[in-house]
Amino acid sequence: MLYTAFLFGLISSLHCVGMCGPIAMMLPVDRNNKTKKAIQIITYHLGRLAAYGTIGLIFGLVGKGFFMAGLQQNMSIFIGVAMIVVVLVPERSFAKYNFSKPVFKLISNVKQHLGAQFKNKSYKSLFTIGLLNGFLPCGMVYVALFGAIAMQSASLGVVYMVLFGLGTVPMMSAVVYVNSFVTIPLRNRIQKAIPYVAVFIGCLFILRGLGLGIPYVSPSNMSLFVQAEPNCH
């Protein structure tokens, strides 16, 4: 299931360009030295991946709790359904519920610190920009986090979110080099494809939870407490 993280990151990266593209375009990188510029962009991405890995660790621990409790298969089904619902239900339906209100002050602080980092061209600032960028609210990240919860351990939660982040790297790097390459028709076509990919990944998680005995897709047993054969003698 880890491959779905990279696939979803790759497909949803155009959404990332729309939301975080302006941040990438404003990066204080060296416009004359190509090698230094590439290293600076990589540093920025390392910051984003560190943020995704951190939240993947947190939500992976939540998933591990369900796994230890023997609820992983049911949780996988629930998360698959949740992925599909989040994608299919119109965004305006969620807009009337201010889910971010409890953390609004925290988000404001992140944005404030993010803006201050653009005044400095050091590698530390570029890493910090990426780190703070990764913690900003994003619908695609929320969907990816469902996948992190469905993993069986904290480490797999980290890997899942890092792979998601790696999927966004090509497009987010390209926008730094060519600001105008994303045409409106291209963006519209890819935006229309994102829901289909999310629904496909959601269906994979549902299949995984059903335990149909399909290798790598829907294993028959995902519980730590159920063994195929008793080991008592």
Side-chain angles (χ1 to χ4, degrees):
M1 296 299 293
L2 289 174
Y3 67 90
T4 62
F6 182 81
L7 174 64
F8 186 60
L10 195 64
I11 297 296
S12 65
S13 58
L14 195 61
H15 177 274
C16 296
V17 169
M19 298 297 293
C20 301
I23 294 176
M25 292 182 210
M26 292 171 57
L27 288 176
V29 297
D30 192 318
R31 306 293 175 179
N32 301 316
N33 189 324
K34 293 183 179 179
T35 302
K36 185 177 181 180
K37 181 179 180 179
I39 296 174
Q40 289 173 324
I41 294 173
I42 291 173
T43 303
Y44 161 72
H45 287 310
L46 288 175
R48 289 200 309 122
L49 294 177
Y52 293 152
T54 300
I55 56 181
L57 173 64
I58 296 171
F59 283 86
L61 285 170
V62 174
K64 181 180 180 181
F66 288 111
F67 181 68
M68 294 295 291
L71 302 175
Q72 189 69 18
Q73 286 182 272
N74 291 332
M75 179 53 58
S76 185
I77 295 173
F78 171 79
I79 286 173
V81 173
M83 280 184 172
I84 295 173
V85 169
V86 167
V87 171
L88 296 183
V89 174
E91 188 174 347
R92 60 178 177 271
S93 298
F94 291 106
K96 55 186 177 182
Y97 302 104
N98 191 357
F99 297 112
S100 300
K101 190 174 181 179
V103 293
F104 179 77
K105 186 175 181 180
L106 176 62
I107 295 172
S108 297
N109 288 335
V110 169
K111 290 181 178 180
Q112 183 178 355
H113 289 301
L114 180 61
Q117 296 301 318
F118 285 98
K119 300 176 183 179
N120 195 329
K121 296 184 178 182
S122 68
Y123 287 106
K124 179 181 178 181
S125 290
L126 286 163
F127 182 85
T128 303
I129 290 172
L131 187 69
L132 295 175
N133 187 176
F135 284 120
L136 288 176
C138 173
M140 297 298 101
V141 173
Y142 294 159
V143 174
L145 284 176
F146 283 129
I149 295 174
M151 294 296 100
Q152 299 176 359
S153 68
S155 59
L156 287 177
V158 173
V159 173
Y160 192 93
M161 289 306 298
V162 169
L163 286 175
F164 167 78
L166 285 173
T168 68
V169 166
M171 189 70 76
M172 288 293 288
S173 298
V175 77
V176 181
Y177 286 97
V178 186
N179 294 346
S180 60
F181 82 103
V182 183
T183 63
I184 293 178
L186 174 62
R187 178 174 177 177
N188 288 338
R189 284 196 293 270
I190 299 182
Q191 286 278 39
K192 289 179 180 178
I194 291 175
Y196 293 100
V197 175
V199 169
F200 172 72
I201 293 174
C203 289
L204 285 179
F205 275 106
I206 293 173
L207 282 174
R208 180 172 181 257
L210 290 174
L212 301 177
I214 305 172
Y216 305 107
V217 177
S218 185
S220 59
N221 176 27
M222 296 171 56
S223 174
L224 283 176
F225 301 104
V226 179
Q227 300 180 14
E229 295 180 1
N231 58 9
C232 53
H233 301 284

